[in-house]
Structure formats: structure tokens, C-alpha cells
Amino acid sequence: MSIKKGIKLKFAISLLAVFIVCSTTIVNWYLSVQALKDTLTENYLENNYRYAKKVSLSTSDLFFNMQQNLGTLAKILGRKEMSQEDLDSWKEASAGYFNSIFTTDETGVVQLMTPPAVPNNKGGVKPGVQITSDLMKQALKDQKPFVSDPYLAQTGNLVVLISYPIFDTSGTYKGVVDGTIYLESDSSLKRILNQHVFHDESSVFVVDRSGKIIYHPDSSRINESVADHPLVKKVIEGKSGSGEIINSRGHEYFSGYAYVDQTGWGIIAQTPTSVIEKPLQDLTEQIIIRSLPLLLLIYLLAWLFTNHLSKPINRLARYSEEATQTNKTGEIQHLEIKSQIYEVKQLYKHIQKHFQLLNTQIQQDGLTGLANRRSFDLEINDLILRKTPFSMIMIDIDNFKKVNDKHGHLVGDDVLRFIASIMDDVSRKEDLCYRYGGEEFAILLRNKEVEDAYALAERLRLKLSYTPSPAGYPITISLGISTSQKDDKFPEDIIKRADSALYQSKRAGKNKTTIYEFS
């Protein structure tokens, strides 16, 4: 059956045109989507950081004003007696700062309190009762203004206490005036935290100086400790910034965080990363809708060009076929397109060679020059498939992280190359050396027993242990050895055994070679 090479070339060029047009469109789509994604990400991170900073400043200002408010009240109490009605009026005029205000004498006995009856406060704070809590003892002892850490009150509320000392006109200490803020009740503080300016899925939560959540839109998370989260660690250390995070429940957020100087709290404003999916989807739809007519036009032009280009090559194919069948080769020499055919053949030949070169490079580790993990996988799969007996040495550099940390990654790379060169020196021509990944290497020994593998492993280990490396001192390695078995069906079987032996070397103090022992 004759092969219509002209048609195949036409089809191939048409596919090439489609590929170029589609790939160009895909690249443009990818770059556009990536640019929009980066822009949206940057905007959300920046906006959340600015909002967290704003809430932090507003919270600091609020606590400052609250302290000033109590300070003014303390001065008045120091100059004259105040009635219950006066204290009620003062609280009402304080614009929702406090959920309750009370005063004590110098021994901690409550003198006045507004509101006079606090719900769910059986046996709690009320006039005539002496407060003996550690917090009150500290306040009476220090005689200084302070803002407490949040604590769980007898009412079941999470409370922040603001305290201010009372001195009379002669400077005699008379007690304290305290204001309480219930973090889960309506207050100026909660109104600041509860409204996110962007009105989307964004939210704000607050942690205290110990990393415990003291405010969250989801009330079930109040009092939950998130101190181990990297972002929370930063904010309770007094840092501010932004970042993409995964929270303790596995949800991804764009987060901005800021520190509150007045209280030691951390404000975290966050937006789910899923909010950018809709804009990205809309952009994709717009690109498809707008690109489709242009793609069809370009494909039509490419098809017309391909059709025109393929005609002379079709003629060459017919002449070549006829010349082969009739032995009339002289007629081919009269074709003016002969040079074009030569170029097509040469181009194909060079592309073929180029891919062969790429295939070689794909199977080689660019840093060490050893065969890479891909080559390792191909070789060990072939050995298992052909039932060829072999031994395997798994190698891991001891304390390689310390080399990188102390000398830098460039020296670390030099150490990897150095070890690869020693592996080449001590192994035989038929031994196959690989960089398995990171600081791990492997050697496959076809048709070799475990004794041969052990001898090679020890030559390598000993030579490295006394040869100075680029780090300035010898590098030690740990090795694990295993041999293939008749019932091995998968490469993972022997790899796991070699890994097990390797980690036994690690546990035994490193710089050792261990042969896997079958139980």
C-alpha cells in the first residue's frame, strides 16, 4: 500500500498550526490568569494587613480612651463621694465602653457597682462584698492603672478588666475603680471587631498574648488555643504583616495581622482564598469567548498555507514512488523542489537527534552528573521485570543539613558532587550509580551477591570518612543494603528493605553499613 506522504505532511503542519495557536492561547490565558491571581492575592493580603492594622490602632485608641475615662472617674471619686445614681449616669454617658463599673475601698470591698445586678452573678461581685481574687490583690498592691488579660468570670463571660487607682486630694490611696468589658457581649470593642470593611467572606479574630482566641465570629472557637500556628506566634511576638496561611482546621486564607500595644493582643484579618476563584473563572470564560473567532480565522489561514506548501512535496512523493517502481530516477533530478525535500529530511533528522540528546539529559542529574531518579526507576523496573538478580545500596549523607546551614547551599552542592565523584572512583564499570534525590544516592549491582555490595559500600564509606570534602572535613554516610528475592514483584519491595537497613544504620549512630536481615 502506498503512503501519501504529502497528505501526512499537510496533516502534520495543520496540527502544528493548531498546536501553536492553541498553545499561544493557553500561554496567554495562563499568564493572564496568573497575573490576575497575583494581583488579587496581593490586594487581599495588603487590604487585610491594612485592616488588621486599622483595627489594632482603633483597639489601642479605644483602650486608651477607656483608661482615660476611668482615670477621670477616679479623680472625681478621690475628691468627693459619688452616689449610685451618679455612677449609673456616668456609665450611661460612657458611650458603651463598659459592661459594668464598680469601685472598691483599699481592702477590695465593693462600694458602688453599675449595673447593681449583673445576670448570672450569684455570689459574685456586688456592693459590700470583698473581692479576694489574685487580680484584685495585684491591683490593690500595685496601685497603678492596668488592663488585664482576658479571663473567664463567674458570669460565664470572657472578661477584660481595666483598673485605675483612686487617691484623695492629699494623695492617700482610697481603692480602685474598675471597668469590665464582656468580649462576647455588645460593646464598643465588639463593634470594632465585628465589622469587616470589605463585606465579603472576610472576618477578624483576636488572640491574647498567650495565643488563645478571645474573639471570633464563630463563638465555638472562643478560648481555643492557636499559639502553635506560625502566624499567631509572629503576632504575639509583636510583629505585623501578611501571608497566605492554612489555619488549624485546614482552611486556606489570605491573612493580615497586627499587634495591639495596649493589650498585647494580636488582630488577624483573613479572607478565604476561594474568593478569587470566581474572578479567575470569569476571566477564563472571557478569553475563550473572545479568542474563538480569532482561532478559527488563524486555523483557516494556516490550512490554506499548508495546502499550498504541501503541493510541491506531493509532487515529489509521486515522482519518487514512480521512480522506485519503474527505475526511472532521472526524472526526479528535474524537480526544482529537491532542495526543499532535503531541508525537510534534515530538519526531521536534527529534531530526532535533538530529542535523543534531551532524552539523555532527562535521565541524568544536572548537579552531580550521575544518573537520576528517573533512570533508577527505569532500571530497577527492568531488573524486576526480567527477574535479573541484583543487589542495591541506599546511601544517605549524615548531618547534611548542618553542612548547608553552616557553609551554605553552594558548598552543599559541592559536597554532593564530591560524593558522586568518590562513588565513581570506588565502583566498577558495571555498577550503576544514581542520585536518588536530595542527599540520597543509590547503587545497583546486577548479578551481584550481598557480599559484593557490602564490600563496595564499605570502600565508599571508608574513603569518604578520611577524605576531606569541600566543607573542609570528611563527610560520613549511612548505608543500607538489600538483595532482590525471587518473590519480589515490585521495586518498592527491595527499596523498602534497603531503606529499613539504612535507617537502622542511622539509629545505630550513623557512618555505618547495614545489610537487611530477613526475619
Side-chain angles (χ1 to χ4, degrees), residues 352-372:
Q352 202 171 36
K353 288 182 178 179
H354 183 63
F355 274 106
Q356 289 173 350
L357 177 61
L358 286 178
N359 189 51
T360 299
Q361 292 176 343
I362 286 172
Q363 297 186 37
Q364 186 179 56
D365 178 55
L367 178 64
T368 63
L370 298 178
N372 61 13

Side-chain angles (χ1 to χ4, degrees), residues 1-11 314 317 321:
M1 182 178 68
S2 62
I3 300 175
K4 297 179 179 179
K5 294 182 179 178
I7 295 175
K8 283 193 173 183
L9 178 61
K10 178 180 177 179
F11 181 68
N314 283 336
E321 187 176 1

Side-chain angles (χ1 to χ4, degrees), residues 190-209:
K190 187 170 183 179
R191 286 192 289 274
I192 288 175
L193 301 176
N194 204 34
Q195 296 180 357
H196 197 292
V197 71
F198 302 114
H199 302 294
D200 49 20
E201 298 177 65
S202 302
S203 61
V204 172
F205 72 94
V206 184
V207 296
D208 64 13
R209 68 180 76 243

Side-chain angles (χ1 to χ4, degrees), residues 443-462:
I443 302 176
L444 295 177
L445 299 87
R446 289 176 293 199
N447 297 303
K448 297 292 183 181
E449 298 295 331
V450 68
E451 292 80 8
D452 300 311
Y454 183 78
L456 173 56
E458 282 296 279
R459 286 201 305 273
L460 175 61
R461 184 184 68 81
L462 291 172

Side-chain angles (χ1 to χ4, degrees), residues 397-417:
I397 304 174
D398 296 333
N399 305 313
F400 185 65
K401 184 178 183 300
K402 292 183 179 179
V403 175
N404 281 330
D405 291 345
K406 183 176 181 180
H407 302 286
H409 288 279
L410 292 179
V411 173
D413 289 347
D414 289 338
V415 168
L416 292 174
R417 283 190 285 264

